[in-house]
Amino acid sequence: MKIKGVQKAIDKIRGKGKKNSMFDPVHYVIGMLKLYGIKYLVASPGTQNANFNYFLQKDNFFKCFSVVDERSASYVATGLAFEMGEPVVITCTGATASRNYLSAMTEAFYRNIPLIALTFHNPSGNEYNMTPQYLDRSVTQKDIKALYVKLPKIADANDEIECVVKLNAALFTAYYLKKPVHIDCPSTLWNFKDKLQVPLKKIWKPEYYKENFESVSANLQNKKIAIFVGSHDKFSSDEQKAISDFVTSRDAVVFCDHTSNYHGHNKVLFSQALDMQSLDVHPEVIIDIGNVTGEYSAYGLLKRAEVWRISSDGSIKFRASVPVKKVFCCSEKYFFISLSAKEKVNSYFSIIKSKIDKLVFPELKLSNAFVCAHLSQKLPKNCSLNISILNSLRNMNFFNLDESIDVNCNVGGFGIDGPVSTLVGMSLADVNKKYFGLIGDLAFFYDMNIIGNRHIQNNLRILLINNQRGEEFRINPDIENVIGDEADEFIAAARHNIGGAKNWAVANNFIYMSANTEGEFIKQIDDFCTKECSYPILFEVFTTNENEKEALMKIRSFNKK
């Protein structure tokens, strides 16, 4: 049974498999320095940076100074950067040369002076290979740079994209935020016959706005606009109103998942728009806010739009390495209030809503998706829901929740560990509020010890989906279509805890409920969600691999017929 892999969308965005003519990293470095208008350099002699220095002396754009002693060179650059009020590059070879930058970089860090330490290394060197001049630069002092990036040796399109993204992160921080950064670049030795080839079609840089950016409102006229919300802290009422007013005035869409915690106007779930049906009317401008999203299909939205990013702290972040056109250093509330239209313009949400309203949900067998379909309708208002990553999160994102319900998922580190403990921690915040967890079996048994904690009270309710394996690995077509049941042994880790959670739950004074059929589940779901009890509840639902795969396939294909 083939199921569309989420990785394919990301690979398509990143250009995996495409053949490109490649340049050495130094060509990208020089091209990006030019793009940012960074022209001052203090160069020290060396072998690893010889090729870079040679290109500089042949290019009239750069204003270069030669200082042999790297310690002096970095202080010369400190004075120059302070006086000019703009970034200055310092460049040296491998070995101990870069160690001499430490004092000046420390000075720059505490004074917010934008030094760009561009060090070079032999890419064949590592801690296990006795290559001359190798130094491990992976760990450096915290207070010598605001950001460190190591550029890849470019072999394919993905390396190319990674190189440009990392250069943008570093140069953006130095140029706009006026902070020192460190760029470590693999060297190409003595290609002096090469001509400098700036890969203009491959490089890009964001525009930066800090205040008085109302003029960009013209860029939104007559455009299909979407807000992309990743996982997000709970919005204040003022923040939510600002977004609602903005999207209403521009008939814009707010694309999100449940971890976005947006409860305002014009909300559309990523999964309903992109997984349950094929979105054929794409946004032209996407305004990106929030953190990581666990909804992989969401990244497909970015590939055809101009992306704007709101960054309250000024830091630069990209999703799936898609270029960001504009970065706004301000609060989300300020941005949306500033750019709300005076009267309703554009038209996008109306088009999307008409499609979403036609969605039909298929009948399902007992599965995670079946559970989510019913749980989403039964959860009481004003409760909180914590979901474990991947399969449980994906399935709940197909279904609407009451807007009074806040949702949390550990998508920051995106690991299997800790969802039950996180849920318990949430439940300690308000004993008068119900806290629900939707947890898969591997995640639950990984974190099961916490349900013996003496602080747990009767406001905690756990719905455990036990398909007796890591189902995520069985619905992954790259694994399932090749090895099938063989994945159960060490990949999906099947057949652990075959007796279920009953004994552990009862031993810790939980009310235990279980279901093996659709009827058993439906008979008990109301009690699980709303019945007042003196003890916490654990509801274990046993599903099968076959039902899980069939349910996901049905949901993704039912409305595309």
Side-chain angles (χ1 to χ4, degrees), residues 461-464 501-502 505-506 510-516 520-531 533 536-542:
R461 306 197 173 187
I462 299 171
L463 206 162
L464 167 58
K502 179 178 180 179
V506 173
F510 273 69
I511 296 172
Y512 179 79
M513 307 162 66
S514 68
N516 287 277
E520 289 175 354
F521 176 82
I522 292 172
K523 185 177 179 180
Q524 298 174 87
I525 185 61
D526 284 320
D527 284 350
F528 173 74
C529 289
T530 59
K531 186 176 181 179
C533 301
I537 303 175
L538 191 148
F539 188 3
E540 187 168 19
V541 181
F542 294 92

PDB file of all heavy atoms in Angstrom, residues 461-464 501-502 505-506 510-516 520-531 533 536-542:
ATOM      1  N   ARG A 461      -6.003  13.307  32.023  1.00  0.00           N
ATOM      2  CA  ARG A 461      -6.633  12.219  31.268  1.00  0.00           C
ATOM      3  C   ARG A 461      -5.770  11.888  30.054  1.00  0.00           C
ATOM      4  O   ARG A 461      -5.490  12.750  29.231  1.00  0.00           O
ATOM      5  CB  ARG A 461      -8.051  12.596  30.847  1.00  0.00           C
ATOM      6  CG  ARG A 461      -8.852  13.020  32.080  1.00  0.00           C
ATOM      7  CD  ARG A 461     -10.323  13.029  31.912  1.00  0.00           C
ATOM      8  NE  ARG A 461     -10.954  13.300  33.210  1.00  0.00           N
ATOM      9  CZ  ARG A 461     -12.239  13.245  33.448  1.00  0.00           C
ATOM     10  NH1 ARG A 461     -13.078  12.918  32.478  1.00  0.00           N
ATOM     11  NH2 ARG A 461     -12.718  13.510  34.657  1.00  0.00           N
ATOM     12  N   ILE A 462      -5.345  10.629  29.979  1.00  0.00           N
ATOM     13  CA  ILE A 462      -4.438  10.196  28.921  1.00  0.00           C
ATOM     14  C   ILE A 462      -5.154   9.220  28.000  1.00  0.00           C
ATOM     15  O   ILE A 462      -5.721   8.222  28.457  1.00  0.00           O
ATOM     16  CB  ILE A 462      -3.189   9.508  29.509  1.00  0.00           C
ATOM     17  CG1 ILE A 462      -2.411  10.483  30.408  1.00  0.00           C
ATOM     18  CG2 ILE A 462      -2.290   8.981  28.400  1.00  0.00           C
ATOM     19  CD1 ILE A 462      -1.292   9.823  31.186  1.00  0.00           C
ATOM     20  N   LEU A 463      -5.138   9.508  26.702  1.00  0.00           N
ATOM     21  CA  LEU A 463      -5.651   8.584  25.708  1.00  0.00           C
ATOM     22  C   LEU A 463      -4.447   7.976  25.007  1.00  0.00           C
ATOM     23  O   LEU A 463      -3.726   8.656  24.274  1.00  0.00           O
ATOM     24  CB  LEU A 463      -6.574   9.299  24.718  1.00  0.00           C
ATOM     25  CG  LEU A 463      -7.624   8.394  24.047  1.00  0.00           C
ATOM     26  CD1 LEU A 463      -8.742   9.215  23.444  1.00  0.00           C
ATOM     27  CD2 LEU A 463      -7.001   7.499  22.989  1.00  0.00           C
ATOM     28  N   LEU A 464      -4.216   6.699  25.268  1.00  0.00           N
ATOM     29  CA  LEU A 464      -3.043   5.987  24.756  1.00  0.00           C
ATOM     30  C   LEU A 464      -3.419   5.185  23.515  1.00  0.00           C
ATOM     31  O   LEU A 464      -4.255   4.281  23.572  1.00  0.00           O
ATOM     32  CB  LEU A 464      -2.497   5.067  25.849  1.00  0.00           C
ATOM     33  CG  LEU A 464      -1.466   4.004  25.459  1.00  0.00           C
ATOM     34  CD1 LEU A 464      -0.243   4.630  24.813  1.00  0.00           C
ATOM     35  CD2 LEU A 464      -1.070   3.198  26.696  1.00  0.00           C
ATOM     36  N   ALA A 501      -0.911  -1.117  29.197  1.00  0.00           N
ATOM     37  CA  ALA A 501      -0.602  -0.228  30.321  1.00  0.00           C
ATOM     38  C   ALA A 501      -1.494  -0.449  31.537  1.00  0.00           C
ATOM     39  O   ALA A 501      -1.369   0.278  32.528  1.00  0.00           O
ATOM     40  CB  ALA A 501      -0.714   1.226  29.853  1.00  0.00           C
ATOM     41  N   LYS A 502      -2.390  -1.430  31.480  1.00  0.00           N
ATOM     42  CA  LYS A 502      -3.393  -1.569  32.539  1.00  0.00           C
ATOM     43  C   LYS A 502      -2.765  -1.724  33.922  1.00  0.00           C
ATOM     44  O   LYS A 502      -3.121  -0.988  34.856  1.00  0.00           O
ATOM     45  CB  LYS A 502      -4.306  -2.757  32.249  1.00  0.00           C
ATOM     46  CG  LYS A 502      -5.363  -2.972  33.331  1.00  0.00           C
ATOM     47  CD  LYS A 502      -6.290  -4.135  32.997  1.00  0.00           C
ATOM     48  CE  LYS A 502      -7.337  -4.321  34.104  1.00  0.00           C
ATOM     49  NZ  LYS A 502      -8.270  -5.430  33.794  1.00  0.00           N
ATOM     50  N   ALA A 505      -1.130   1.457  35.138  1.00  0.00           N
ATOM     51  CA  ALA A 505      -2.104   2.513  35.423  1.00  0.00           C
ATOM     52  C   ALA A 505      -2.828   2.246  36.736  1.00  0.00           C
ATOM     53  O   ALA A 505      -2.949   3.132  37.601  1.00  0.00           O
ATOM     54  CB  ALA A 505      -3.105   2.620  34.277  1.00  0.00           C
ATOM     55  N   VAL A 506      -3.324   1.036  36.918  1.00  0.00           N
ATOM     56  CA  VAL A 506      -4.061   0.682  38.137  1.00  0.00           C
ATOM     57  C   VAL A 506      -3.156   0.789  39.361  1.00  0.00           C
ATOM     58  O   VAL A 506      -3.576   1.258  40.436  1.00  0.00           O
ATOM     59  CB  VAL A 506      -4.657  -0.732  38.011  1.00  0.00           C
ATOM     60  CG1 VAL A 506      -5.266  -1.185  39.332  1.00  0.00           C
ATOM     61  CG2 VAL A 506      -5.725  -0.756  36.905  1.00  0.00           C
ATOM     62  N   PHE A 510      -4.818   5.173  38.700  1.00  0.00           N
ATOM     63  CA  PHE A 510      -5.532   5.705  37.548  1.00  0.00           C
ATOM     64  C   PHE A 510      -6.778   4.850  37.319  1.00  0.00           C
ATOM     65  O   PHE A 510      -6.760   3.632  37.511  1.00  0.00           O
ATOM     66  CB  PHE A 510      -4.668   5.643  36.285  1.00  0.00           C
ATOM     67  CG  PHE A 510      -3.771   6.833  36.084  1.00  0.00           C
ATOM     68  CD1 PHE A 510      -2.690   7.067  36.931  1.00  0.00           C
ATOM     69  CD2 PHE A 510      -4.009   7.721  35.044  1.00  0.00           C
ATOM     70  CE1 PHE A 510      -1.855   8.145  36.739  1.00  0.00           C
ATOM     71  CE2 PHE A 510      -3.188   8.816  34.840  1.00  0.00           C
ATOM     72  CZ  PHE A 510      -2.099   9.028  35.696  1.00  0.00           C
ATOM     73  N   ILE A 511      -7.845   5.480  36.892  1.00  0.00           N
ATOM     74  CA  ILE A 511      -8.981   4.729  36.362  1.00  0.00           C
ATOM     75  C   ILE A 511      -8.574   4.232  34.977  1.00  0.00           C
ATOM     76  O   ILE A 511      -8.122   5.017  34.138  1.00  0.00           O
ATOM     77  CB  ILE A 511     -10.242   5.615  36.271  1.00  0.00           C
ATOM     78  CG1 ILE A 511     -10.678   6.059  37.671  1.00  0.00           C
ATOM     79  CG2 ILE A 511     -11.365   4.887  35.548  1.00  0.00           C
ATOM     80  CD1 ILE A 511     -11.792   7.082  37.654  1.00  0.00           C
ATOM     81  N   TYR A 512      -8.708   2.945  34.727  1.00  0.00           N
ATOM     82  CA  TYR A 512      -8.260   2.376  33.455  1.00  0.00           C
ATOM     83  C   TYR A 512      -9.455   2.003  32.593  1.00  0.00           C
ATOM     84  O   TYR A 512     -10.406   1.357  33.043  1.00  0.00           O
ATOM     85  CB  TYR A 512      -7.396   1.139  33.687  1.00  0.00           C
ATOM     86  CG  TYR A 512      -6.917   0.491  32.411  1.00  0.00           C
ATOM     87  CD1 TYR A 512      -5.842   1.009  31.702  1.00  0.00           C
ATOM     88  CD2 TYR A 512      -7.565  -0.650  31.900  1.00  0.00           C
ATOM     89  CE1 TYR A 512      -5.405   0.406  30.523  1.00  0.00           C
ATOM     90  CE2 TYR A 512      -7.132  -1.253  30.721  1.00  0.00           C
ATOM     91  CZ  TYR A 512      -6.051  -0.713  30.034  1.00  0.00           C
ATOM     92  OH  TYR A 512      -5.627  -1.298  28.861  1.00  0.00           O
ATOM     93  N   MET A 513      -9.404   2.415  31.324  1.00  0.00           N
ATOM     94  CA  MET A 513     -10.412   2.077  30.334  1.00  0.00           C
ATOM     95  C   MET A 513      -9.675   1.531  29.114  1.00  0.00           C
ATOM     96  O   MET A 513      -8.516   1.887  28.863  1.00  0.00           O
ATOM     97  CB  MET A 513     -11.232   3.313  29.943  1.00  0.00           C
ATOM     98  CG  MET A 513     -11.836   4.054  31.133  1.00  0.00           C
ATOM     99  SD  MET A 513     -12.351   5.760  30.740  1.00  0.00           S
ATOM    100  CE  MET A 513     -13.671   5.457  29.606  1.00  0.00           C
ATOM    101  N   SER A 514     -10.350   0.680  28.336  1.00  0.00           N
ATOM    102  CA  SER A 514      -9.702   0.160  27.127  1.00  0.00           C
ATOM    103  C   SER A 514     -10.742  -0.115  26.055  1.00  0.00           C
ATOM    104  O   SER A 514     -11.938  -0.298  26.341  1.00  0.00           O
ATOM    105  CB  SER A 514      -8.902  -1.108  27.430  1.00  0.00           C
ATOM    106  OG  SER A 514      -9.767  -2.180  27.760  1.00  0.00           O
ATOM    107  N   ALA A 515     -10.259  -0.132  24.803  1.00  0.00           N
ATOM    108  CA  ALA A 515     -11.147  -0.426  23.679  1.00  0.00           C
ATOM    109  C   ALA A 515     -10.376  -1.187  22.608  1.00  0.00           C
ATOM    110  O   ALA A 515      -9.231  -0.835  22.280  1.00  0.00           O
ATOM    111  CB  ALA A 515     -11.716   0.862  23.096  1.00  0.00           C
ATOM    112  N   ASN A 516     -11.026  -2.238  22.061  1.00  0.00           N
ATOM    113  CA  ASN A 516     -10.468  -3.013  20.965  1.00  0.00           C
ATOM    114  C   ASN A 516     -11.315  -2.931  19.703  1.00  0.00           C
ATOM    115  O   ASN A 516     -10.920  -3.458  18.662  1.00  0.00           O
ATOM    116  CB  ASN A 516     -10.338  -4.482  21.371  1.00  0.00           C
ATOM    117  CG  ASN A 516      -9.208  -4.715  22.355  1.00  0.00           C
ATOM    118  OD1 ASN A 516      -8.048  -4.840  21.970  1.00  0.00           O
ATOM    119  ND2 ASN A 516      -9.542  -4.756  23.636  1.00  0.00           N
ATOM    120  N   GLU A 520     -16.658  -0.281  21.296  1.00  0.00           N
ATOM    121  CA  GLU A 520     -16.145  -0.120  22.658  1.00  0.00           C
ATOM    122  C   GLU A 520     -15.607   1.284  22.884  1.00  0.00           C
ATOM    123  O   GLU A 520     -15.787   1.867  23.958  1.00  0.00           O
ATOM    124  CB  GLU A 520     -15.045  -1.151  22.927  1.00  0.00           C
ATOM    125  CG  GLU A 520     -15.549  -2.577  23.046  1.00  0.00           C
ATOM    126  CD  GLU A 520     -14.427  -3.583  23.202  1.00  0.00           C
ATOM    127  OE1 GLU A 520     -13.240  -3.183  23.106  1.00  0.00           O
ATOM    128  OE2 GLU A 520     -14.729  -4.776  23.417  1.00  0.00           O
ATOM    129  N   PHE A 521     -14.964   1.827  21.881  1.00  0.00           N
ATOM    130  CA  PHE A 521     -14.430   3.185  22.014  1.00  0.00           C
ATOM    131  C   PHE A 521     -15.554   4.210  22.133  1.00  0.00           C
ATOM    132  O   PHE A 521     -15.552   5.054  23.033  1.00  0.00           O
ATOM    133  CB  PHE A 521     -13.527   3.523  20.820  1.00  0.00           C
ATOM    134  CG  PHE A 521     -13.024   4.941  20.848  1.00  0.00           C
ATOM    135  CD1 PHE A 521     -11.932   5.285  21.623  1.00  0.00           C
ATOM    136  CD2 PHE A 521     -13.671   5.945  20.121  1.00  0.00           C
ATOM    137  CE1 PHE A 521     -11.478   6.596  21.664  1.00  0.00           C
ATOM    138  CE2 PHE A 521     -13.228   7.256  20.157  1.00  0.00           C
ATOM    139  CZ  PHE A 521     -12.123   7.581  20.932  1.00  0.00           C
ATOM    140  N   ILE A 522     -16.513   4.136  21.220  1.00  0.00           N
ATOM    141  CA  ILE A 522     -17.601   5.117  21.219  1.00  0.00           C
ATOM    142  C   ILE A 522     -18.415   5.049  22.513  1.00  0.00           C
ATOM    143  O   ILE A 522     -18.855   6.067  23.045  1.00  0.00           O
ATOM    144  CB  ILE A 522     -18.503   4.894  19.983  1.00  0.00           C
ATOM    145  CG1 ILE A 522     -17.720   5.265  18.710  1.00  0.00           C
ATOM    146  CG2 ILE A 522     -19.780   5.710  20.083  1.00  0.00           C
ATOM    147  CD1 ILE A 522     -18.435   4.915  17.431  1.00  0.00           C
ATOM    148  N   LYS A 523     -18.570   3.861  23.049  1.00  0.00           N
ATOM    149  CA  LYS A 523     -19.334   3.677  24.282  1.00  0.00           C
ATOM    150  C   LYS A 523     -18.683   4.392  25.468  1.00  0.00           C
ATOM    151  O   LYS A 523     -19.376   4.823  26.401  1.00  0.00           O
ATOM    152  CB  LYS A 523     -19.464   2.182  24.573  1.00  0.00           C
ATOM    153  CG  LYS A 523     -20.346   1.851  25.764  1.00  0.00           C
ATOM    154  CD  LYS A 523     -20.474   0.335  25.921  1.00  0.00           C
ATOM    155  CE  LYS A 523     -21.345  -0.010  27.132  1.00  0.00           C
ATOM    156  NZ  LYS A 523     -21.479  -1.494  27.296  1.00  0.00           N
ATOM    157  N   GLN A 524     -17.349   4.570  25.437  1.00  0.00           N
ATOM    158  CA  GLN A 524     -16.643   5.102  26.604  1.00  0.00           C
ATOM    159  C   GLN A 524     -16.097   6.523  26.427  1.00  0.00           C
ATOM    160  O   GLN A 524     -15.668   7.143  27.408  1.00  0.00           O
ATOM    161  CB  GLN A 524     -15.462   4.173  26.949  1.00  0.00           C
ATOM    162  CG  GLN A 524     -15.876   2.762  27.326  1.00  0.00           C
ATOM    163  CD  GLN A 524     -14.682   1.856  27.515  1.00  0.00           C
ATOM    164  OE1 GLN A 524     -14.113   1.788  28.608  1.00  0.00           O
ATOM    165  NE2 GLN A 524     -14.278   1.159  26.453  1.00  0.00           N
ATOM    166  N   ILE A 525     -16.113   7.053  25.207  1.00  0.00           N
ATOM    167  CA  ILE A 525     -15.446   8.328  24.969  1.00  0.00           C
ATOM    168  C   ILE A 525     -16.088   9.476  25.735  1.00  0.00           C
ATOM    169  O   ILE A 525     -15.406  10.383  26.207  1.00  0.00           O
ATOM    170  CB  ILE A 525     -15.369   8.641  23.446  1.00  0.00           C
ATOM    171  CG1 ILE A 525     -14.554   9.916  23.197  1.00  0.00           C
ATOM    172  CG2 ILE A 525     -16.738   8.740  22.830  1.00  0.00           C
ATOM    173  CD1 ILE A 525     -13.124   9.846  23.652  1.00  0.00           C
ATOM    174  N   ASP A 526     -17.413   9.468  25.891  1.00  0.00           N
ATOM    175  CA  ASP A 526     -18.070  10.547  26.646  1.00  0.00           C
ATOM    176  C   ASP A 526     -17.618  10.554  28.101  1.00  0.00           C
ATOM    177  O   ASP A 526     -17.328  11.615  28.669  1.00  0.00           O
ATOM    178  CB  ASP A 526     -19.593  10.412  26.557  1.00  0.00           C
ATOM    179  CG  ASP A 526     -20.138  10.872  25.212  1.00  0.00           C
ATOM    180  OD1 ASP A 526     -19.638  11.895  24.691  1.00  0.00           O
ATOM    181  OD2 ASP A 526     -21.035  10.213  24.675  1.00  0.00           O
ATOM    182  N   ASP A 527     -17.589   9.384  28.719  1.00  0.00           N
ATOM    183  CA  ASP A 527     -17.135   9.312  30.109  1.00  0.00           C
ATOM    184  C   ASP A 527     -15.691   9.782  30.242  1.00  0.00           C
ATOM    185  O   ASP A 527     -15.340  10.500  31.183  1.00  0.00           O
ATOM    186  CB  ASP A 527     -17.249   7.879  30.636  1.00  0.00           C
ATOM    187  CG  ASP A 527     -18.690   7.494  30.951  1.00  0.00           C
ATOM    188  OD1 ASP A 527     -19.564   8.388  30.942  1.00  0.00           O
ATOM    189  OD2 ASP A 527     -18.942   6.294  31.199  1.00  0.00           O
ATOM    190  N   PHE A 528     -14.853   9.362  29.310  1.00  0.00           N
ATOM    191  CA  PHE A 528     -13.453   9.765  29.361  1.00  0.00           C
ATOM    192  C   PHE A 528     -13.309  11.283  29.302  1.00  0.00           C
ATOM    193  O   PHE A 528     -12.497  11.874  30.019  1.00  0.00           O
ATOM    194  CB  PHE A 528     -12.685   9.121  28.198  1.00  0.00           C
ATOM    195  CG  PHE A 528     -11.269   9.610  28.065  1.00  0.00           C
ATOM    196  CD1 PHE A 528     -10.290   9.198  28.952  1.00  0.00           C
ATOM    197  CD2 PHE A 528     -10.918  10.489  27.044  1.00  0.00           C
ATOM    198  CE1 PHE A 528      -8.982   9.652  28.831  1.00  0.00           C
ATOM    199  CE2 PHE A 528      -9.615  10.946  26.912  1.00  0.00           C
ATOM    200  CZ  PHE A 528      -8.646  10.533  27.801  1.00  0.00           C
ATOM    201  N   CYS A 529     -14.103  11.920  28.465  1.00  0.00           N
ATOM    202  CA  CYS A 529     -13.939  13.368  28.249  1.00  0.00           C
ATOM    203  C   CYS A 529     -14.655  14.222  29.288  1.00  0.00           C
ATOM    204  O   CYS A 529     -14.144  15.282  29.673  1.00  0.00           O
ATOM    205  CB  CYS A 529     -14.437  13.740  26.850  1.00  0.00           C
ATOM    206  SG  CYS A 529     -13.366  13.165  25.515  1.00  0.00           S
ATOM    207  N   THR A 530     -15.811  13.801  29.753  1.00  0.00           N
ATOM    208  CA  THR A 530     -16.637  14.724  30.541  1.00  0.00           C
ATOM    209  C   THR A 530     -17.013  14.244  31.933  1.00  0.00           C
ATOM    210  O   THR A 530     -17.390  15.063  32.782  1.00  0.00           O
ATOM    211  CB  THR A 530     -17.932  15.037  29.767  1.00  0.00           C
ATOM    212  OG1 THR A 530     -18.643  13.815  29.519  1.00  0.00           O
ATOM    213  CG2 THR A 530     -17.613  15.713  28.437  1.00  0.00           C
ATOM    214  N   LYS A 531     -16.961  12.962  32.216  1.00  0.00           N
ATOM    215  CA  LYS A 531     -17.405  12.478  33.513  1.00  0.00           C
ATOM    216  C   LYS A 531     -16.470  12.960  34.618  1.00  0.00           C
ATOM    217  O   LYS A 531     -15.250  12.908  34.481  1.00  0.00           O
ATOM    218  CB  LYS A 531     -17.462  10.950  33.517  1.00  0.00           C
ATOM    219  CG  LYS A 531     -18.067  10.363  34.795  1.00  0.00           C
ATOM    220  CD  LYS A 531     -18.182   8.841  34.687  1.00  0.00           C
ATOM    221  CE  LYS A 531     -18.806   8.254  35.943  1.00  0.00           C
ATOM    222  NZ  LYS A 531     -18.937   6.772  35.845  1.00  0.00           N
ATOM    223  N   CYS A 533     -14.516  12.548  37.900  1.00  0.00           N
ATOM    224  CA  CYS A 533     -13.948  11.392  38.594  1.00  0.00           C
ATOM    225  C   CYS A 533     -13.009  11.861  39.695  1.00  0.00           C
ATOM    226  O   CYS A 533     -12.484  12.987  39.650  1.00  0.00           O
ATOM    227  CB  CYS A 533     -13.178  10.502  37.620  1.00  0.00           C
ATOM    228  SG  CYS A 533     -14.174   9.860  36.263  1.00  0.00           S
ATOM    229  N   PRO A 536      -7.276  10.336  38.176  1.00  0.00           N
ATOM    230  CA  PRO A 536      -6.926  10.524  36.761  1.00  0.00           C
ATOM    231  C   PRO A 536      -7.339   9.293  35.954  1.00  0.00           C
ATOM    232  O   PRO A 536      -7.556   8.212  36.517  1.00  0.00           O
ATOM    233  CB  PRO A 536      -5.403  10.685  36.791  1.00  0.00           C
ATOM    234  CG  PRO A 536      -4.969   9.999  38.050  1.00  0.00           C
ATOM    235  CD  PRO A 536      -6.087  10.220  39.039  1.00  0.00           C
ATOM    236  N   ILE A 537      -7.450   9.464  34.629  1.00  0.00           N
ATOM    237  CA  ILE A 537      -7.933   8.383  33.763  1.00  0.00           C
ATOM    238  C   ILE A 537      -6.901   8.077  32.682  1.00  0.00           C
ATOM    239  O   ILE A 537      -6.298   8.991  32.092  1.00  0.00           O
ATOM    240  CB  ILE A 537      -9.260   8.763  33.083  1.00  0.00           C
ATOM    241  CG1 ILE A 537     -10.326   9.127  34.126  1.00  0.00           C
ATOM    242  CG2 ILE A 537      -9.761   7.636  32.190  1.00  0.00           C
ATOM    243  CD1 ILE A 537     -11.624   9.633  33.509  1.00  0.00           C
ATOM    244  N   LEU A 538      -6.734   6.796  32.410  1.00  0.00           N
ATOM    245  CA  LEU A 538      -5.945   6.359  31.252  1.00  0.00           C
ATOM    246  C   LEU A 538      -6.838   5.475  30.393  1.00  0.00           C
ATOM    247  O   LEU A 538      -7.353   4.456  30.850  1.00  0.00           O
ATOM    248  CB  LEU A 538      -4.699   5.590  31.683  1.00  0.00           C
ATOM    249  CG  LEU A 538      -3.681   5.324  30.555  1.00  0.00           C
ATOM    250  CD1 LEU A 538      -2.261   5.301  31.096  1.00  0.00           C
ATOM    251  CD2 LEU A 538      -3.973   4.021  29.809  1.00  0.00           C
ATOM    252  N   PHE A 539      -7.053   5.885  29.158  1.00  0.00           N
ATOM    253  CA  PHE A 539      -7.895   5.165  28.209  1.00  0.00           C
ATOM    254  C   PHE A 539      -6.982   4.599  27.124  1.00  0.00           C
ATOM    255  O   PHE A 539      -6.418   5.330  26.317  1.00  0.00           O
ATOM    256  CB  PHE A 539      -8.915   6.136  27.618  1.00  0.00           C
ATOM    257  CG  PHE A 539      -9.989   5.504  26.766  1.00  0.00           C
ATOM    258  CD1 PHE A 539     -10.084   4.128  26.576  1.00  0.00           C
ATOM    259  CD2 PHE A 539     -10.947   6.309  26.142  1.00  0.00           C
ATOM    260  CE1 PHE A 539     -11.077   3.562  25.792  1.00  0.00           C
ATOM    261  CE2 PHE A 539     -11.957   5.760  25.359  1.00  0.00           C
ATOM    262  CZ  PHE A 539     -12.010   4.380  25.184  1.00  0.00           C
ATOM    263  N   GLU A 540      -6.812   3.276  27.099  1.00  0.00           N
ATOM    264  CA  GLU A 540      -5.921   2.627  26.141  1.00  0.00           C
ATOM    265  C   GLU A 540      -6.741   2.047  24.991  1.00  0.00           C
ATOM    266  O   GLU A 540      -7.649   1.245  25.207  1.00  0.00           O
ATOM    267  CB  GLU A 540      -5.112   1.522  26.825  1.00  0.00           C
ATOM    268  CG  GLU A 540      -4.040   0.913  25.942  1.00  0.00           C
ATOM    269  CD  GLU A 540      -3.081   0.031  26.715  1.00  0.00           C
ATOM    270  OE1 GLU A 540      -3.430  -0.408  27.847  1.00  0.00           O
ATOM    271  OE2 GLU A 540      -1.966  -0.225  26.205  1.00  0.00           O
ATOM    272  N   VAL A 541      -6.406   2.478  23.781  1.00  0.00           N
ATOM    273  CA  VAL A 541      -7.109   2.024  22.581  1.00  0.00           C
ATOM    274  C   VAL A 541      -6.147   1.198  21.737  1.00  0.00           C
ATOM    275  O   VAL A 541      -5.093   1.676  21.314  1.00  0.00           O
ATOM    276  CB  VAL A 541      -7.642   3.222  21.773  1.00  0.00           C
ATOM    277  CG1 VAL A 541      -8.387   2.727  20.534  1.00  0.00           C
ATOM    278  CG2 VAL A 541      -8.548   4.093  22.629  1.00  0.00           C
ATOM    279  N   PHE A 542      -6.504  -0.056  21.487  1.00  0.00           N
ATOM    280  CA  PHE A 542      -5.655  -0.973  20.737  1.00  0.00           C
ATOM    281  C   PHE A 542      -6.058  -0.947  19.261  1.00  0.00           C
ATOM    282  O   PHE A 542      -7.187  -1.283  18.913  1.00  0.00           O
ATOM    283  CB  PHE A 542      -5.777  -2.389  21.296  1.00  0.00           C
ATOM    284  CG  PHE A 542      -5.237  -2.537  22.692  1.00  0.00           C
ATOM    285  CD1 PHE A 542      -6.079  -2.382  23.793  1.00  0.00           C
ATOM    286  CD2 PHE A 542      -3.901  -2.805  22.903  1.00  0.00           C
ATOM    287  CE1 PHE A 542      -5.592  -2.505  25.083  1.00  0.00           C
ATOM    288  CE2 PHE A 542      -3.396  -2.934  24.194  1.00  0.00           C
ATOM    289  CZ  PHE A 542      -4.234  -2.783  25.288  1.00  0.00           C
TER     290      PHE A 542
END
